[in-house]
Amino acid sequence: MPTTDNATIISVRSPEFDSARAQIEQALDADHTGEALQRLEAIVESEDVSPPIDDELWVYRTLAELYLQRDRFEDALDAYRRAFRLDPRDRDILQSLTSLLFDVDAELDGETDLLEAILVHARASLDTSMLARIHRRLGARYVEADDSDQASAHLRRAAQCVDSDREAMQALLQSWRVTGDPFDALETREQLIEAFDDPEASAEAYVELGDEWRERFDRGRKALELYERAADFAPTDEVWEHIRTTAESLDDADESLYRAHLTLAERADGDEARAEHFTAAATVARDELWSPERARRALERALEIEPDRFEAFQSLVSMLEDAEDWSRLERAYRHVIDLNRQRQSPDDDLLAILWYQLGEVYRRYLDQPRDAIEVYREASTLFPDNPKFHEAIVNLVESTHTDAEVAEQHLRALYRIDASRTDVLKRLGRLYLRRESLDPALCHFRAYEALGGSLDDQEASLVERFETGMYRSPDRTLDEELRREKLYPDDLDPDVSEVFRLLFPVLFEWTSEFRSEYGLDRTDAIDLDEPLAFNNTYRDIAETLARDDIPPLWQNSEYRGLNKAALDSPSVIAGDDLFESGDEKRIAFATARVLFLLEPPFYWLGLRDVSELRAFFWLALQMVRPDVELERDEAMEDAYRLMKRKLDDDHRDRLRDAIERATDDADDVELLSWVEAVEDAADRVGLLFADDLNVARMHLQTETDTFSGRDIETRMRNLAEYSVSDDYLALREALGMAVSS
């Protein structure tokens, strides 16, 4: 814009100006801004047209507005400057001028002088916000001009104009670049904050100032002081988080850190965050402030919120143990247990540990064994397969010689969990002996000794007392119902047994051979009516096993023990070693075992290989379910034809039902587990009649009809475990074989 000296103002109204103004207004109304701009510039350049002040203000204001529309900021600023000189008190001119100054990013020519003039002539017309902006702008310009005194003065005034003005505060900090003293700027800023009226603004300002001290000058102690002042004004989460993080970085701010964690714990939204802060506060109180009481209170608060915060509880326990405050320790355990039990989904793992540890408190510190036993039992109820809990109960009961029934329950649990714990057998035997329950005591001592344990004199005396070496006849028959209830292992599937019982006619004919195949002649037949001890035992056991017939008995020196024989009827061959031994218990074990295995469901076992038995099962499966694919060789074709010939429609229907139950509509069955179960059942029958585990071991070591392929020790462990079971003891009682005083 052309410059004109307007120092002399002619205030006489000019007719030419009135005409020009009317034309300009008409052009503006018609949106002919270019024409209006030309006429206005002509007025400014003319020496003949001198409008009054009010009209001249209109000229410069209108001219500035048109320049702004064309982004001619320098010309617009010059127009506003001229208007401002005409009347520094005109608020509209002043507002437009200052707005233009702050809207333009670049520094404008004469800007500093103009801002200074505004402060001189129009300070009273400016609000504090605009005053702050002017001082900030001037401060920045003087910083650029390296005028430290002016820069510092304006920046301080900017900070004083508006409480909590962030830009003013930041501008003040810039003054240290020219003054060379950053701490002076920070201290001045701190003094200004103290004069703030708004608490939240004060808090924010203190936090920002603290950040400056910590981040720019690494003065954590000073920053912490300022953050704590901020907390006095507005204790927000942000403020306390600043206190916490800063205190953590300092070596001597433990009190502040403790207080920060407590405050954040109260303010946190989620339970986990609250509990974590209380736990952290407890750690500071315990490890740094040496204040166990404050630590205890904080931990208790954490546990109230999250009862399963185990590490917090362990810290509390540790402190109470150090203080030897056993009563409070007991209450702490009870309280946290109650809190956990009241939860919607209690943590059984945690509860079990807490119950057990409370038991330790009763046992070790309070000398209350009965209370200890009760809480140990709570733990064992939650986890019945954890031997630690049962062991704790048993140890206490054994040491006090009380609650024998409790000891029995948990000793039996220990043995159930781990059958290799043979020491448990001896402990149970002693317990029964103290209770004068002789039969259970005898059975447990026998099992312990049979598995390699050594008995003391009293225990050995009891065993020897009932070792007569004589066979004892049971009082009643061992019928199928009693067997199913007390004798058969769980894996002895009755449906598989039924399949082979129905196949017995086929299997019997398939395996039957002439006497000569066994090396027998007529003279080898034993007359069971002869009054021999062997015959008496043989007949008695056959009758006790509820057999409809007594299998023929043969004797041949080429055989050892008792052996199954598939002759014209299921038969038994006795070797001279057993028949002439006179060892009643050995005879009883072998006889009971072989007669059991001669029963139809188990007839095949010991006569032929188990693989052939599986083949017959598959043939039966294919016969009742023709869709099952099975490649049959010549021998299997013969067996299949025999099966079809021997089994009538009624047999086939029952066989189909049994196979469907045994296979659960699958195409196979787990035959090996059934075979092993049959062998275990046979061993159990032998033990029942011989009443001697040592005889059982002797038989297993010399037997010739093993068919499961398992080693002797595995079978002996199974047999010993059964010999102390509730089923075996009940079966002895039912058959009249249990001993008494």
Side-chain angles (χ1 to χ4, degrees):
M1 169 182 162
T3 59
T4 303
D5 184 6
N6 288 324
T8 303
I9 304 298
I10 301 174
S11 59
V12 178
R13 178 171 294 278
S14 167
E16 292 85 352
F17 176 78
D18 291 341
S19 175
R21 178 168 179 168
Q23 292 174 359
I24 292 169
E25 289 177 339
Q26 185 177 4
L28 289 173
D29 291 340
D31 201 23
H32 296 157
T33 57
E35 177 186 343
L37 179 61
Q38 290 178 357
R39 290 183 178 278
L40 285 168
E41 288 178 338
I43 292 175
V44 171
E45 294 173 356
S46 173
E47 296 182 356
D48 298 328
V49 181
S50 299
I53 290 179
D54 290 343
D55 290 331
E56 191 168 3
L57 287 175
W58 174 85
V59 169
Y60 288 121
R61 183 187 300 111
T62 307
L63 190 59
E65 292 172 357
L66 292 175
Y67 283 141
L68 286 176
Q69 292 178 12
R70 287 163 172 74
D71 294 335
R72 292 170 60 181
F73 299 113
E74 292 283 353
D75 291 336
L77 181 62
D78 185 62
Y80 278 132
R81 183 188 295 116
R82 290 171 180 271
F84 173 71
R85 288 174 179 171
L86 288 172
D87 188 358
R89 295 167 298 176
D90 189 307
R91 290 184 176 274
D92 292 337
I93 296 293
L94 184 61
Q95 181 65 37
S96 298
L97 176 59
T98 53
S99 296
L100 177 59
L101 286 171
F102 294 115
D103 287 344
V104 178
D105 292 333
E107 181 178 1
L108 300 175
D109 184 42
E111 175 185 319
T112 302
D113 291 340
L114 178 58
L115 290 172
E116 292 282 15
I118 290 174
L119 290 177
V120 171
H121 296 291
R123 177 181 293 274
S125 300
L126 299 172
D127 59 29
T128 53
S129 176
M130 182 56 70
L131 277 173
R133 295 184 69 184
I134 292 173
H135 281 299
R136 284 200 303 275
R137 178 65 70 88
L138 284 170
R141 297 296 178 242
Y142 283 121
V143 166
E144 294 167 1
D146 290 333
D147 187 339
S148 61
D149 292 339
Q150 288 291 346
S152 179
H154 280 290
L155 290 173
R156 290 174 187 273
R157 289 170 188 161
Q160 292 172 335
C161 287
V162 181
D163 283 359
S164 73
D165 189 322
R166 291 177 180 270
E167 292 185 30
M169 290 297 179
Q170 293 299 326
L172 176 61
L173 288 173
Q174 301 302 317
S175 68
W176 73 272
R177 295 180 180 176
V178 293
T179 63
D181 185 2
F183 301 117
D184 178 62
L186 291 170
E187 289 171 359
T188 300
R189 182 176 175 185
E190 185 177 340
Q191 294 171 4
L192 294 172
I193 295 172
E194 292 174 358
F196 285 5
D197 294 329
D198 184 348
E200 292 186 3
S202 298
E204 292 180 10
Y206 276 125
V207 169
E208 291 177 359
L209 186 57
D211 290 345
E212 291 287 342
W213 279 105
R214 185 179 63 172
E215 297 169 7
R216 186 172 294 180
F217 305 109
D218 196 24
R219 297 283 290 274
R221 170 55 62 185
K222 179 64 178 178
L224 180 60
E225 176 189 331
L226 293 169
Y227 294 148
E228 290 181 330
R229 289 192 198 173
D232 292 337
F233 286 97
T236 63
D237 292 351
E238 179 187 4
V239 170
W240 281 106
E241 192 61 32
H242 274 74
I243 294 173
R244 182 189 68 80
T245 55
T246 305
E248 283 181 344
S249 67
L250 300 173
D251 293 334
D252 57 348
D254 301 319
E255 194 69 47
S256 296
L257 181 58
Y258 170 76
R259 189 167 62 254
H261 277 301
L262 284 185
T263 304
L264 288 169
E266 297 290 357
R267 301 178 62 87
D269 292 331
D271 286 349
E272 183 177 0
R274 294 180 63 208
E276 284 181 358
H277 280 300
F278 276 124
T279 303
T283 301
V284 174
R286 181 192 62 198
D287 298 342
E288 307 300 336
L289 299 176
W290 293 80
S291 177
E293 188 61 28
R294 287 198 285 180
R296 181 186 63 77
R297 289 198 299 269
L299 288 171
E300 288 175 346
R301 292 293 304 278
L303 292 167
E304 291 283 350
I305 298 166
E306 285 193 337
D308 60 349
R309 184 169 285 269
F310 191 61
E311 72 279 4
F313 184 69
Q314 288 296 83
S315 297
L316 177 60
V317 167
S318 177
M319 286 189 297
L320 293 174
E321 286 179 340
D322 290 342
E324 297 186 0
D325 193 342
W326 312 128
S327 296
R328 179 174 282 181
L329 181 59
E330 177 205 4
R331 292 196 299 273
Y333 270 108
R334 287 287 186 183
H335 183 58
V336 78
I337 286 171
D338 287 343
L339 289 174
N340 275 279
R341 294 173 80 180
Q342 292 167 12
R343 302 185 73 191
Q344 187 172 0
S345 299
D347 184 341
D348 287 347
D349 289 333
L350 177 59
L351 279 171
I353 294 172
L354 293 173
W355 281 121
Y356 176 78
Q357 291 184 342
L358 176 57
E360 291 292 276
V361 172
Y362 284 128
R363 181 182 67 84
R364 296 171 57 191
Y365 305 126
L366 296 175
D367 192 23
Q368 297 175 213
R370 288 192 175 277
D371 290 324
I373 290 171
E374 286 304 312
V375 297
Y376 286 147
R377 292 179 73 180
E378 293 283 357
S380 69
T381 300
L382 289 171
F383 287 93
D385 291 333
N386 189 318
K388 180 179 181 180
F389 303 146
H390 299 292
E391 190 74 59
I393 296 170
V394 172
N395 288 338
L396 263 182
V397 173
E398 287 181 336
S399 66
T400 58
H401 299 290
T402 58
D403 298 313
E405 291 183 0
V406 173
E408 176 188 5
Q409 172 191 347
H410 293 279
L411 280 169
R412 292 173 72 84
L414 282 173
Y415 191 63
R416 173 185 56 78
I417 295 167
D418 183 5
S420 67
R421 288 282 305 273
T422 56
D423 64 297
V424 174
L425 297 175
K426 187 173 185 178
R427 295 163 74 179
L428 275 166
R430 289 173 175 173
L431 183 146
Y432 290 126
L433 190 57
R434 287 195 299 270
R435 291 168 54 182
E436 298 184 354
S437 299
L438 295 187
D439 197 58
L442 174 65
C443 291
H444 282 79
F445 287 144
R446 282 176 172 174
Y448 177 67
E449 188 175 37
L451 293 174
S454 298
L455 301 174
D456 63 23
D457 292 343
Q458 182 185 19
E459 297 156 358
S461 175
L462 177 68
V463 173
E464 292 171 2
R465 175 181 167 188
F466 294 102
E467 293 292 351
T468 64
M470 298 176 62
Y471 165 69
R472 296 171 58 209
S473 177
D475 292 344
R476 57 169 286 189
T477 58
L478 184 60
D479 56 31
E480 184 64 20
E481 182 180 358
L482 197 55
R483 296 184 197 185
R484 288 178 181 246
E485 290 180 1
K486 305 298 182 183
L487 182 79
Y488 291 156
D490 292 338
D491 288 338
L492 207 162
D493 188 335
D495 295 317
V496 176
S497 298
E498 178 65 7
V499 169
F500 290 115
R501 189 187 69 80
L502 292 168
L503 288 176
F504 174 72
V506 179
L507 298 176
F508 174 71
E509 184 166 331
W510 183 262
T511 58
S512 293
E513 297 178 305
F514 295 109
R515 291 195 307 270
S516 58
E517 294 294 328
Y518 288 93
L520 301 174
D521 58 36
R522 292 183 178 182
T523 61
D524 292 329
I526 301 297
D527 182 1
L528 291 175
D529 291 331
E530 288 188 44
L532 301 175
F534 190 101
N535 290 352
N536 294 337
T537 301
Y538 188 85
R539 287 196 308 271
D540 186 73
I541 292 175
E543 292 170 0
T544 304
L545 290 175
R547 292 190 61 92
D548 295 333
D549 60 339
I550 299 178
L553 179 65
W554 302 77
Q555 181 185 2
N556 189 294
S557 60
E558 297 297 322
Y559 291 84
R560 292 181 57 82
L562 290 185
N563 304 268
K564 294 166 68 172
L567 301 175
D568 54 354
S569 65
S571 304
V572 177
I573 302 175
D576 291 349
D577 65 313
L578 184 64
F579 190 81
E580 298 174 359
S581 68
D583 189 336
E584 294 187 19
K585 288 197 171 186
R586 185 180 167 202
I587 293 170
F589 188 94
T591 300
R593 194 174 185 282
V594 75
L595 291 179
F596 174 78
L597 290 173
L598 276 177
E599 295 183 2
F602 321 123
Y603 175 73
W604 182 279
L605 297 174
L607 289 174
R608 297 291 178 89
D609 190 84
V610 173
S611 61
E612 293 185 48
L613 189 66
R614 176 177 291 278
F616 269 92
F617 185 89
W618 272 87
L619 287 172
L621 180 64
Q622 189 178 53
M623 187 177 69
V624 300
R625 287 170 51 184
D627 59 308
V628 174
E629 295 183 2
L630 177 64
E631 294 185 7
R632 301 195 296 256
D633 57 20
E634 185 176 348
M636 293 182 71
E637 288 289 354
D638 291 342
Y640 190 71
R641 285 192 292 271
L642 174 63
M643 189 177 296
K644 294 180 69 174
R645 178 168 57 84
K646 296 293 291 185
L647 301 180
D648 58 23
D649 290 341
D650 179 61
H651 262 77
R652 293 185 189 186
D653 290 341
R654 285 185 288 156
L655 183 62
R656 179 183 296 104
D657 293 341
I659 287 177
E660 287 179 356
R661 293 194 303 272
T663 60
D664 195 20
D665 294 328
D667 292 337
D668 202 358
V669 68
E670 183 54 53
L671 197 58
L672 180 58
S673 62
W674 178 82
V675 168
E676 292 177 351
V678 171
E679 189 171 61
D680 284 340
D683 294 342
R684 292 178 179 186
V685 172
L687 173 64
L688 186 64
F689 284 91
D691 194 21
D692 194 319
L693 281 169
N694 291 324
V695 169
R697 178 181 288 277
M698 186 185 306
H699 177 89
L700 298 187
Q701 290 172 339
T702 59
E703 71 178 356
T704 59
D705 60 348
T706 181
F707 44 82
S708 74
R710 293 175 298 168
D711 60 81
I712 293 173
E713 291 307 317
T714 297
R715 292 171 63 188
M716 276 303 298
R717 280 197 302 271
N718 291 347
L719 191 56
E721 186 174 350
Y722 174 70
S723 75
V724 294
S725 66
D726 288 338
D727 284 343
Y728 180 71
L729 296 173
L731 190 55
R732 286 170 59 84
E733 189 73 33
L735 296 177
M737 303 183 72
V739 301
S740 61
S741 58

Coordinates of all heavy atoms in Angstrom, one line a residue, residues 668-715:
D668 N -14.3 -103.6 18.1 CA -13.3 -104.3 18.8 C -13.5 -104.2 20.3 O -14.4 -103.4 20.7 CB -11.9 -103.8 18.4 CG -10.8 -104.9 18.7 OD1 -11.1 -105.9 19.3 OD2 -9.6 -104.6 18.4
V669 N -12.7 -104.9 21.1 CA -12.8 -104.8 22.6 C -11.4 -104.8 23.1 O -10.5 -105.4 22.5 CB -13.7 -105.9 23.1 CG1 -13.0 -107.3 23.0 CG2 -14.0 -105.7 24.6
E670 N -11.2 -104.2 24.3 CA -9.9 -104.2 25.0 C -9.7 -105.6 25.7 O -10.0 -105.7 26.9 CB -9.8 -103.1 25.9 CG -8.4 -102.9 26.6 CD -7.3 -102.9 25.6 OE1 -7.3 -102.1 24.7 OE2 -6.3 -103.8 25.8
L671 N -9.3 -106.6 24.9 CA -9.3 -107.9 25.5 C -8.2 -108.1 26.5 O -8.3 -108.9 27.5 CB -9.1 -108.9 24.3 CG -9.5 -110.4 24.7 CD1 -10.9 -110.5 25.2 CD2 -9.3 -111.3 23.4
L672 N -7.0 -107.5 26.3 CA -5.9 -107.7 27.2 C -6.2 -107.3 28.6 O -5.8 -108.0 29.6 CB -4.6 -106.9 26.7 CG -3.4 -107.1 27.6 CD1 -3.0 -108.6 27.7 CD2 -2.3 -106.2 27.0
S673 N -6.9 -106.2 28.8 CA -7.2 -105.8 30.2 C -8.2 -106.8 30.8 O -8.1 -107.1 32.0 CB -7.8 -104.4 30.2 OG -9.1 -104.4 29.4
W674 N -9.0 -107.4 30.0 CA -9.9 -108.4 30.6 C -9.2 -109.7 30.9 O -9.4 -110.3 32.0 CB -11.0 -108.7 29.5 CG -12.0 -109.8 29.9 CD1 -13.1 -109.7 30.7 CD2 -11.9 -111.2 29.6 NE1 -13.7 -110.9 30.9 CE2 -13.0 -111.8 30.2 CE3 -11.0 -112.0 28.8 CZ2 -13.2 -113.2 30.1 CZ3 -11.3 -113.3 28.7 CH2 -12.4 -113.9 29.3
V675 N -8.2 -110.1 30.1 CA -7.4 -111.2 30.4 C -6.6 -111.0 31.7 O -6.5 -111.9 32.6 CB -6.4 -111.5 29.2 CG1 -5.4 -112.5 29.6 CG2 -7.2 -112.0 28.0
E676 N -6.0 -109.8 31.9 CA -5.3 -109.6 33.1 C -6.2 -109.6 34.3 O -5.8 -110.0 35.4 CB -4.6 -108.2 33.0 CG -3.4 -108.2 31.9 CD -2.8 -106.8 31.8 OE1 -3.4 -105.8 32.3 OE2 -1.8 -106.7 31.1
A677 N -7.4 -109.1 34.1 CA -8.4 -109.1 35.2 C -8.8 -110.5 35.6 O -8.9 -110.8 36.8 CB -9.6 -108.2 34.9
V678 N -8.9 -111.4 34.6 CA -9.2 -112.8 34.9 C -8.1 -113.4 35.7 O -8.3 -114.1 36.7 CB -9.5 -113.5 33.6 CG1 -9.6 -115.0 33.9 CG2 -10.7 -113.0 32.9
E679 N -6.9 -113.1 35.3 CA -5.7 -113.7 36.0 C -5.7 -113.2 37.4 O -5.4 -113.9 38.4 CB -4.4 -113.3 35.3 CG -3.2 -114.1 35.8 CD -2.0 -113.9 34.9 OE1 -1.6 -112.7 34.7 OE2 -1.5 -114.9 34.4
D680 N -5.9 -111.9 37.6 CA -5.9 -111.3 39.0 C -7.0 -111.9 39.8 O -6.9 -112.2 41.0 CB -6.1 -109.8 39.0 CG -4.8 -109.1 38.6 OD1 -3.8 -109.7 38.7 OD2 -4.9 -107.9 38.1
A681 N -8.2 -112.2 39.2 CA -9.3 -112.8 39.9 C -9.0 -114.2 40.3 O -9.3 -114.7 41.5 CB -10.6 -112.8 39.0
A682 N -8.3 -114.9 39.5 CA -7.9 -116.3 39.8 C -6.9 -116.3 41.0 O -7.0 -117.1 41.9 CB -7.2 -117.0 38.6
D683 N -5.9 -115.3 40.9 CA -5.0 -115.2 42.1 C -5.7 -114.9 43.4 O -5.4 -115.4 44.4 CB -4.0 -114.1 41.8 CG -3.1 -114.5 40.6 OD1 -3.0 -115.7 40.2 OD2 -2.4 -113.6 40.0
R684 N -6.7 -114.0 43.3 CA -7.5 -113.7 44.5 C -8.3 -114.9 45.0 O -8.3 -115.1 46.2 CB -8.5 -112.6 44.1 CG -7.9 -111.2 43.8 CD -8.9 -110.2 43.4 NE -8.3 -108.9 43.2 CZ -9.0 -107.8 42.9 NH1 -10.3 -107.8 43.0 NH2 -8.4 -106.7 42.7
V685 N -8.8 -115.7 44.1 CA -9.5 -116.9 44.6 C -8.5 -117.9 45.3 O -8.8 -118.4 46.4 CB -10.2 -117.7 43.4 CG1 -10.8 -119.0 43.8 CG2 -11.3 -116.8 42.8
G686 N -7.3 -118.0 44.7 CA -6.3 -118.8 45.3 C -6.0 -118.3 46.7 O -5.8 -119.1 47.7
L687 N -5.8 -117.0 46.8 CA -5.4 -116.4 48.1 C -6.5 -116.7 49.1 O -6.2 -117.0 50.3 CB -5.1 -114.9 48.0 CG -4.9 -114.2 49.3 CD1 -3.6 -114.7 50.0 CD2 -4.8 -112.7 49.0
L688 N -7.7 -116.5 48.7 CA -8.9 -116.6 49.6 C -8.9 -118.0 50.3 O -9.1 -118.1 51.5 CB -10.2 -116.4 48.9 CG -11.4 -116.3 49.7 CD1 -11.4 -115.1 50.7 CD2 -12.7 -116.2 48.8
F689 N -8.6 -119.0 49.5 CA -8.7 -120.4 50.1 C -7.4 -120.8 50.8 O -7.4 -121.5 51.7 CB -9.0 -121.4 48.9 CG -10.4 -121.3 48.5 CD1 -10.9 -120.5 47.5 CD2 -11.4 -122.1 49.2 CE1 -12.2 -120.5 47.1 CE2 -12.7 -122.1 48.8 CZ -13.1 -121.3 47.8
A690 N -6.2 -120.3 50.3 CA -5.0 -120.7 50.9 C -4.7 -119.8 52.1 O -4.0 -120.2 53.1 CB -3.8 -120.5 49.9
D691 N -5.2 -118.6 52.1 CA -5.1 -117.6 53.2 C -3.6 -117.4 53.6 O -3.2 -117.4 54.7 CB -5.8 -118.2 54.5 CG -6.0 -117.2 55.6 OD1 -5.9 -116.0 55.2 OD2 -6.1 -117.5 56.7
D692 N -2.8 -117.2 52.5 CA -1.3 -117.1 52.8 C -0.7 -116.4 51.5 O -0.6 -117.1 50.4 CB -0.7 -118.4 53.0 CG 0.7 -118.3 53.6 OD1 1.5 -117.4 53.2 OD2 1.0 -119.1 54.6
L693 N -0.2 -115.2 51.7 CA 0.5 -114.5 50.5 C 1.8 -115.2 50.2 O 2.2 -115.2 49.0 CB 0.7 -113.1 50.9 CG -0.5 -112.2 50.7 CD1 -0.3 -110.8 51.4 CD2 -0.9 -112.0 49.3
N694 N 2.5 -115.8 51.1 CA 3.8 -116.4 50.8 C 3.5 -117.6 49.9 O 4.3 -117.9 49.0 CB 4.5 -116.8 52.1 CG 5.0 -115.6 52.8 OD1 5.4 -114.6 52.2 ND2 4.9 -115.6 54.2
V695 N 2.5 -118.4 50.2 CA 2.1 -119.5 49.3 C 1.7 -119.0 47.9 O 2.1 -119.6 46.9 CB 0.9 -120.3 50.0 CG1 0.3 -121.3 49.0 CG2 1.4 -121.0 51.2
A696 N 1.1 -117.9 47.9 CA 0.7 -117.3 46.6 C 2.0 -117.0 45.8 O 2.0 -117.3 44.6 CB -0.1 -116.0 46.8
R697 N 3.0 -116.4 46.4 CA 4.2 -116.0 45.7 C 4.9 -117.3 45.2 O 5.4 -117.4 44.1 CB 5.1 -115.2 46.6 CG 6.5 -114.9 46.0 CD 7.4 -114.1 46.9 NE 6.9 -112.8 47.1 CZ 7.2 -111.8 46.3 NH1 7.9 -112.0 45.2 NH2 6.7 -110.6 46.6
M698 N 4.9 -118.3 46.1 CA 5.5 -119.6 45.7 C 4.9 -120.2 44.5 O 5.5 -120.7 43.5 CB 5.5 -120.6 46.9 CG 6.2 -121.9 46.6 SD 5.9 -123.1 48.0 CE 6.4 -122.1 49.4
H699 N 3.5 -120.1 44.4 CA 2.8 -120.6 43.3 C 3.1 -119.8 42.0 O 3.4 -120.4 40.9 CB 1.3 -120.6 43.5 CG 0.5 -121.1 42.4 ND1 0.2 -122.4 42.2 CD2 0.0 -120.4 41.3 CE1 -0.5 -122.5 41.0 NE2 -0.7 -121.3 40.5
L700 N 3.1 -118.5 42.1 CA 3.4 -117.7 41.0 C 4.8 -117.9 40.4 O 5.0 -117.8 39.2 CB 3.2 -116.2 41.3 CG 1.8 -115.7 41.8 CD1 1.8 -114.2 41.9 CD2 0.8 -116.2 40.8
Q701 N 5.7 -118.3 41.3 CA 7.1 -118.5 40.8 C 7.2 -119.8 40.1 O 8.2 -120.0 39.3 CB 8.0 -118.5 42.0 CG 8.2 -117.1 42.6 CD 9.0 -117.1 43.9 OE1 9.0 -118.1 44.6 NE2 9.5 -116.0 44.3
T702 N 6.3 -120.8 40.3 CA 6.4 -122.1 39.7 C 5.3 -122.5 38.8 O 5.3 -123.5 38.2 CB 6.5 -123.2 40.8 OG1 5.3 -123.1 41.6 CG2 7.7 -122.9 41.7
E703 N 4.3 -121.6 38.6 CA 3.1 -121.9 37.8 C 3.5 -122.2 36.3 O 4.5 -121.6 35.8 CB 2.1 -120.9 37.9 CG 2.4 -119.6 37.2 CD 1.3 -118.5 37.3 OE1 0.2 -118.9 37.9 OE2 1.5 -117.4 36.9
T704 N 2.7 -122.9 35.7 CA 2.9 -123.2 34.3 C 1.8 -122.7 33.4 O 1.8 -122.8 32.2 CB 3.0 -124.8 34.1 OG1 1.7 -125.4 34.5 CG2 4.1 -125.3 34.8
D705 N 0.7 -122.1 34.0 CA -0.4 -121.7 33.2 C -0.6 -120.1 33.2 O -1.7 -119.6 33.0 CB -1.7 -122.3 33.7 CG -2.0 -121.9 35.2 OD1 -1.0 -121.4 35.8 OD2 -3.1 -122.2 35.7
T706 N 0.5 -119.4 33.3 CA 0.4 -117.9 33.2 C 0.0 -117.6 31.8 O 0.5 -118.2 30.8 CB 1.7 -117.3 33.5 OG1 1.5 -115.8 33.4 CG2 2.9 -117.7 32.6
F707 N -0.8 -116.6 31.6 CA -1.3 -116.3 30.2 C -1.3 -114.8 30.0 O -1.6 -114.3 28.9 CB -2.7 -116.9 30.0 CG -3.6 -116.7 31.1 CD1 -4.3 -115.5 31.3 CD2 -3.9 -117.8 32.0 CE1 -5.2 -115.4 32.4 CE2 -4.8 -117.6 33.1 CZ -5.5 -116.5 33.2
S708 N -1.1 -113.9 31.0 CA -1.2 -112.5 30.8 C 0.2 -111.9 30.4 O 0.3 -110.8 29.8 CB -1.7 -111.7 32.0 OG -0.7 -111.7 33.0
G709 N 1.3 -112.6 30.7 CA 2.6 -112.1 30.4 C 3.2 -111.2 31.3 O 4.3 -110.6 31.1
R710 N 2.5 -110.9 32.4 CA 3.0 -109.9 33.4 C 4.0 -110.6 34.4 O 4.0 -111.8 34.6 CB 1.9 -109.3 34.3 CG 0.9 -108.5 33.5 CD -0.3 -108.0 34.3 NE -1.1 -109.2 34.7 CZ -2.0 -109.1 35.7 NH1 -2.3 -107.9 36.3 NH2 -2.7 -110.2 36.0
D711 N 4.9 -109.8 34.9 CA 5.9 -110.3 35.8 C 5.3 -110.6 37.2 O 4.2 -110.2 37.6 CB 7.1 -109.4 36.0 CG 6.7 -108.0 36.6 OD1 6.5 -107.9 37.8 OD2 6.5 -107.1 35.8
I712 N 6.0 -111.4 38.0 CA 5.5 -111.9 39.3 C 5.3 -110.7 40.2 O 4.3 -110.7 40.9 CB 6.5 -112.9 39.9 CG1 6.5 -114.2 39.0 CG2 6.1 -113.3 41.3 CD1 7.6 -115.2 39.4
E713 N 6.2 -109.8 40.3 CA 6.1 -108.7 41.2 C 4.9 -107.8 41.0 O 4.2 -107.4 41.9 CB 7.4 -107.8 41.2 CG 8.6 -108.5 41.7 CD 8.4 -109.0 43.1 OE1 7.8 -108.4 44.0 OE2 8.8 -110.2 43.4
T714 N 4.5 -107.6 39.7 CA 3.3 -106.9 39.4 C 2.1 -107.6 39.9 O 1.2 -107.0 40.6 CB 3.2 -106.7 37.9 OG1 4.3 -105.9 37.4 CG2 1.9 -106.0 37.5
R715 N 2.0 -108.9 39.7 CA 0.9 -109.7 40.2 C 0.8 -109.7 41.7 O -0.2 -109.7 42.3 CB 0.9 -111.0 39.6 CG 0.7 -111.0 38.1 CD 0.9 -112.4 37.4 NE 0.0 -113.4 37.9 CZ 0.1 -114.7 37.7 NH1 1.1 -115.1 36.9 NH2 -0.8 -115.5 38.2

